[in-house]
Amino acid sequence: MQSVIKTVEWTDEGVVFIDQTKLPTEELYVTCRTYEEVAVAIKDMIVRGAPAIGVAAAMGIALGVRDAKVSTVTELRQVFGAICRTMGETRPTAVNLFWAIRRMQRKFEDLSNMPLAVLKTEMVLEAKRIHLEDIAANQAMGRFGAVLMPSEGGVLTHCNAGALATAGYGTALGVIRAAVESGKNIHVFADETRPFLQGSRLTAWELMKDGIDTTVISDNMAGAMMAQGKIKAVVVGADRIAANGDVANKIGTYTVAVLAKEHGIPFYVAAPWSTIDLETADGSQIPIEQRNPREVTHMAGKQLTPDNVHIENPAFDVTPSRYVTGIITDRGVAKAPYNESLRKLAQIETVSA
Amino acid sequence: MQSVIKTVEWTDEGVVFIDQTKLPTEELYVTCRTYEEVAVAIKDMIVRGAPAIGVAAAMGIALGVRDAKVSTVTELRQVFGAICRTMGETRPTAVNLFWAIRRMQRKFEDLSNMPLAVLKTEMVLEAKRIHLEDIAANQAMGRFGAVLMPSEGGVLTHCNAGALATAGYGTALGVIRAAVESGKNIHVFADETRPFLQGSRLTAWELMKDGIDTTVISDNMAGAMMAQGKIKAVVVGADRIAANGDVANKIGTYTVAVLAKEHGIPFYVAAPWSTIDLETADGSQIPIEQRNPREVTHMAGKQLTPDNVHIENPAFDVTPSRYVTGIITDRGVAKAPYNESLRKLAQIETVSA
């Protein structure tokens, strides 16, 4: 079951995104014709989800390199530095962004004594390769994770870690898709995920497209659903996973993890290897993006709060690894102690596609 | 500090409510000129909050009795039965509604051999008495609860248990108001409380009016705020409290209670004695109202979910008493074991005003 959703795609005209701010009522595609437009699309969350941000950044860099008006590799190197800086300043938490930039930088260095035209072509190919690898990684996660899902019953997910958050298929939703494909009878509970509503707008939309039974709940209903025995497992994505297994993910993930622990429900995190950041020792060192208060104060142009009230709007929170039953990667499933299990997986070189 | 907010008021023209569906951007008052209009106002949540619903129902009944086109008490008894049935069918969970109806029924029986005009006048006076007693109860709760609040720091509340949920002053917010009046330096964190947004729309609005420092967070941020040490105590209201201390309150309260336990933060419930339902043994027997899915699927006319997705929209959840540090009533503070402590408070006859 290859999802038909085109989250991010390379075309000769530019990088094409489905505009995730318009879903679920409008299915609109936008073409970013410059790397600057790609950076804005990432910042404004037209494309979001850590793996998709990584792919988008790689394509944005490739676009900038391809269209750079330079006549030597030395000139290109200047422009390339500026492109990478612009891309790196879009969003701070998802480590896949920095992973993708570093990978494009390494490729640039590897090829820097090639002719300009070859270098440009190869950079575009590298971005396309990152895109394909991400889909393969999702499918590998699906295979590793499907067996961990209940044979029937409710599975709760938070935010959107689906086809829309990746190059396709999804991380957490990839695990659910693979479980359903293997014959498991799963009903998804999707937290609506305030303030940006990735759950109600995006997760519900893509699961409905695939014919997977889905119930949207507001975030504060998760505890009641668990107490009523409706949830058998939780699976979420991640924006960055530290070396000790602490997980930065969409705000509210930590609340769900605490609830899962209280109810004895397994709590899984699904993420490609590019989300694992072994250079960050623990969650306290992960930078947490603060977003515009307007996401909380307004909806559809309507003001929801009184003037001048204080607002908190962290985009992410950190779930300490002690709440995490397992981290499903494309290299296998890590379990506690994560410092050891993640280091062991780090030695596996290739994505098992 | 008597709040200037007029949640519900008796006037000769009818019962006046501030329209809580329009806040915080419009401060609009509506006059219900018949008991049927009062019933609709309760059902549509123009007035909401368990104690306010009780007062509104009593005033609605008084209005219906006053304006009944009858010439004998026997005829009035017929009409009175119909009025009470209409009022009882508005909302199922808040026990204050049924408490107020029973109290008006008892008054009717006590006075049933009085002349018709006297009976009508006395029923109106009884409704006004319920209104005044509710304010006194709130102030008593404030006195009992203020000492339990931290001398400084963040206090989290969920939904609106304020002046807008009562005849004035508030239950949970009454405790916070009394703590602030006693010189405590409290910063309120208000869960926005999806789907109806009582926290962002109502709690924030009335606290801003009183100059109490307030931060609105989306419900799913509560865990992160606690993990960051920003919350020193939780205080919420209740729609019904069973004999064993289980608390039915706005959906999401249970999630907050689990989070508070995990972080070692005291979790208090403030409610007038009319919210305590000793005839209900435990929380499993409390009927939970399911509301219109549209509250979850749409906001400000905008569709947030794909067509045909399933929706859960329970208005309340039940927090088992083991999560409750104390129940602050107008008769004193009950602590575990609640079966004993609540029964002891039941023996105190009068509201300590």
Side-chain angles (χ1 to χ4, degrees):
Chain A
M1 181 164 67
Q2 178 55 52
S3 183
V4 293
I5 298 161
K6 302 264 184 244
T7 307
V8 42
E9 234 191 337
W10 178 271
T11 69
D12 288 342
E13 288 74 45
V15 187
V16 179
F17 300 108
I18 186 167
D19 186 343
Q20 301 197 28
T21 66
K22 297 287 191 293
L23 289 170
T25 45
E26 289 175 74
E27 203 170 323
L28 214 111
Y29 289 82
V30 296
T31 303
C32 295
R33 289 165 208 281
T34 65
Y35 77 89
E36 289 99 333
E37 285 181 15
V38 172
V40 170
I42 294 172
K43 209 171 185 121
D44 291 353
M45 294 174 74
I46 285 167
V47 61
R48 30 64 54 200
I53 289 172
V55 174
M59 287 189 175
I61 291 169
L63 193 64
V65 166
R66 188 196 68 178
D67 295 344
K69 305 224 176 324
V70 295
S71 43
T72 66
V73 169
T74 309
E75 280 173 46
L76 181 59
R77 186 189 300 279
Q78 291 273 331
V79 176
F80 180 68
I83 295 171
C84 290
R85 271 193 301 282
T86 300
M87 221 50 82
E89 283 161 5
T90 51
R91 299 194 66 195
T93 305
V95 77
N96 312 61
L97 174 71
F98 306 102
W99 171 89
I101 294 170
R102 273 205 306 276
R103 180 152 156 187
M104 294 299 276
Q105 285 169 330
R106 269 200 305 274
K107 194 72 189 175
F108 190 97
E109 291 314 319
D110 289 351
L111 299 170
S112 59
N113 47 13
M114 299 291 249
L116 183 63
V118 174
L119 177 50
K120 285 187 165 191
T121 307
E122 284 296 327
M123 291 297 280
V124 172
L125 286 177
E126 184 71 358
K128 288 183 177 175
R129 211 172 288 126
I130 288 173
H131 182 263
L132 288 174
E133 284 173 13
D134 188 62
I135 295 173
N138 287 334
Q139 290 170 334
M141 270 177 264
R143 284 194 301 278
F144 287 123
V147 295
L148 302 173
M149 294 292 102
S151 57
E152 67 178 331
V155 173
L156 178 73
T157 190
H158 187 74
C159 193
N160 173 269
L164 287 168
T166 62
Y169 202 67
T171 55
L173 297 193
V175 167
I176 288 170
R177 284 194 167 94
V180 169
E181 285 164 29
S182 76
K184 293 187 172 186
N185 185 16
I186 287 174
H187 183 103
V188 177
F189 284 82
D191 274 352
E192 67 174 7
T193 316
R194 282 282 290 152
F196 211 69
L197 299 170
Q198 291 94 336
S200 52
R201 295 194 303 105
L202 309 180
T203 292
W205 179 79
E206 67 166 272
L207 292 178
M208 293 291 283
K209 280 225 162 202
D210 276 359
I212 296 174
D213 221 20
T214 303
T215 296
V216 171
I217 59 173
S218 53
D219 301 299
N220 59 22
M221 295 174 192
M225 295 300 120
M226 289 185 187
Q228 290 167 31
K230 290 180 176 168
I231 312 289
K232 302 279 180 253
V234 176
V235 59
V236 298
D239 287 78
R240 191 184 299 215
I241 297 173
N244 74 338
D246 289 353
V247 174
N249 191 45
K250 180 52 52 197
I251 185 71
T253 302
Y254 171 62
T255 288
V256 173
V258 169
L259 289 169
K261 179 191 163 204
E262 183 74 7
H263 294 88
I265 295 168
F267 178 89
Y268 294 106
V269 177
W273 193 255
S274 51
T275 304
I276 316 283
D277 179 11
L278 295 179
E279 286 160 40
T280 295
D282 62 57
S284 70
Q285 294 167 51
I286 300 175
I288 300 295
E289 178 184 5
Q290 301 288 327
R291 291 189 63 84
N292 194 325
R294 204 179 156 89
E295 292 179 355
V296 176
T297 59
H298 287 70
M299 194 180 292
K302 188 169 167 57
Q303 184 175 333
L304 310 176
T305 51
D307 294 333
N308 303 321
V309 74
H310 303 289
I311 300 290
E312 289 259 6
N313 190 17
F316 306 97
D317 60 24
V318 173
T319 299
S321 60
R322 66 178 180 279
Y323 294 96
V324 180
T325 310
I327 298 174
I328 303 162
T329 79
D330 47 301
R331 299 182 178 191
V333 178
K335 298 224 169 185
Y338 290 101
N339 265 316
E340 285 174 31
S341 59
L342 289 176
R343 223 183 307 257
K344 216 170 274 175
L345 287 179
Q347 288 155 12
I348 301 174
E349 278 298 321
T350 53
V351 171
S352 53
Chain B
M1 183 164 68
Q2 177 58 51
S3 183
V4 292
I5 298 160
K6 303 265 184 241
T7 307
V8 42
E9 234 192 338
W10 178 272
T11 70
D12 287 344
E13 289 74 43
V15 187
V16 179
F17 300 108
I18 186 167
D19 185 344
Q20 301 198 27
T21 66
K22 298 286 191 294
L23 289 170
T25 44
E26 290 175 74
E27 204 171 323
L28 213 110
Y29 289 82
V30 295
T31 304
C32 295
R33 289 165 208 283
T34 65
Y35 76 88
E36 289 99 332
E37 285 180 14
V38 173
V40 169
I42 294 172
K43 209 173 183 120
D44 291 354
M45 294 174 72
I46 285 167
V47 61
R48 32 63 52 204
I53 289 171
V55 174
M59 288 190 174
I61 291 169
L63 193 65
V65 165
R66 188 195 69 176
D67 296 343
K69 304 220 176 328
V70 295
S71 43
T72 67
V73 169
T74 309
E75 280 173 47
L76 182 59
R77 186 189 300 279
Q78 290 272 332
V79 175
F80 180 67
I83 294 171
C84 290
R85 269 193 302 281
T86 300
M87 220 50 82
E89 283 161 4
T90 51
R91 299 194 66 194
T93 304
V95 77
N96 311 60
L97 175 71
F98 307 102
W99 171 89
I101 294 170
R102 271 205 307 276
R103 180 153 156 187
M104 294 298 278
Q105 284 168 331
R106 268 200 306 274
K107 193 73 189 172
F108 190 97
E109 290 314 317
D110 289 352
L111 300 169
S112 59
N113 47 12
M114 299 292 247
L116 184 63
V118 174
L119 177 49
K120 285 187 165 190
T121 306
E122 284 295 329
M123 291 297 281
V124 171
L125 285 177
E126 184 71 358
K128 288 184 178 173
R129 211 172 286 127
I130 288 174
H131 182 264
L132 288 174
E133 284 173 14
D134 188 62
I135 295 173
N138 287 334
Q139 289 170 334
M141 270 176 266
R143 283 195 300 277
F144 287 123
V147 295
L148 302 173
M149 294 294 101
S151 58
E152 67 177 331
V155 173
L156 178 73
T157 189
H158 187 73
C159 195
N160 173 268
L164 287 168
T166 62
Y169 202 67
T171 56
L173 297 193
V175 168
I176 288 170
R177 283 194 168 95
V180 169
E181 284 164 31
S182 77
K184 293 188 172 186
N185 184 16
I186 287 174
H187 183 102
V188 178
F189 284 82
D191 274 352
E192 67 173 7
T193 317
R194 281 282 290 152
F196 211 69
L197 299 170
Q198 291 93 337
S200 51
R201 296 194 302 105
L202 309 180
T203 292
W205 179 79
E206 66 166 273
L207 292 178
M208 293 291 285
K209 280 223 163 207
D210 276 359
I212 296 174
D213 220 20
T214 304
T215 296
V216 171
I217 59 173
S218 54
D219 301 300
N220 60 23
M221 294 174 193
M225 295 300 119
M226 289 185 187
Q228 290 166 31
K230 291 180 176 166
I231 313 289
K232 302 280 181 252
V234 177
V235 59
V236 298
D239 287 78
R240 189 184 300 216
I241 298 173
N244 74 338
D246 289 355
V247 174
N249 190 44
K250 181 53 52 197
I251 186 70
T253 302
Y254 171 62
T255 288
V256 174
V258 169
L259 289 169
K261 179 191 160 204
E262 183 73 8
H263 294 87
I265 296 167
F267 178 88
Y268 294 105
V269 177
W273 194 253
S274 52
T275 304
I276 316 283
D277 180 11
L278 295 179
E279 286 161 39
T280 294
D282 61 57
S284 70
Q285 293 167 51
I286 300 176
I288 299 295
E289 177 183 7
Q290 300 289 327
R291 290 190 63 85
N292 194 325
R294 203 178 157 90
E295 291 179 357
V296 176
T297 59
H298 288 70
M299 192 178 293
K302 187 166 167 59
Q303 183 175 334
L304 310 176
T305 52
D307 294 333
N308 303 318
V309 74
H310 303 290
I311 300 290
E312 290 259 5
N313 190 16
F316 306 97
D317 60 26
V318 173
T319 299
S321 59
R322 66 178 179 279
Y323 294 96
V324 180
T325 310
I327 299 174
I328 303 161
T329 79
D330 45 301
R331 299 183 178 191
V333 178
K335 297 224 169 186
Y338 291 101
N339 265 315
E340 286 174 29
S341 58
L342 289 175
R343 222 182 309 256
K344 216 170 277 176
L345 288 179
Q347 289 156 10
I348 302 172
E349 278 299 320
T350 52
V351 171
S352 52

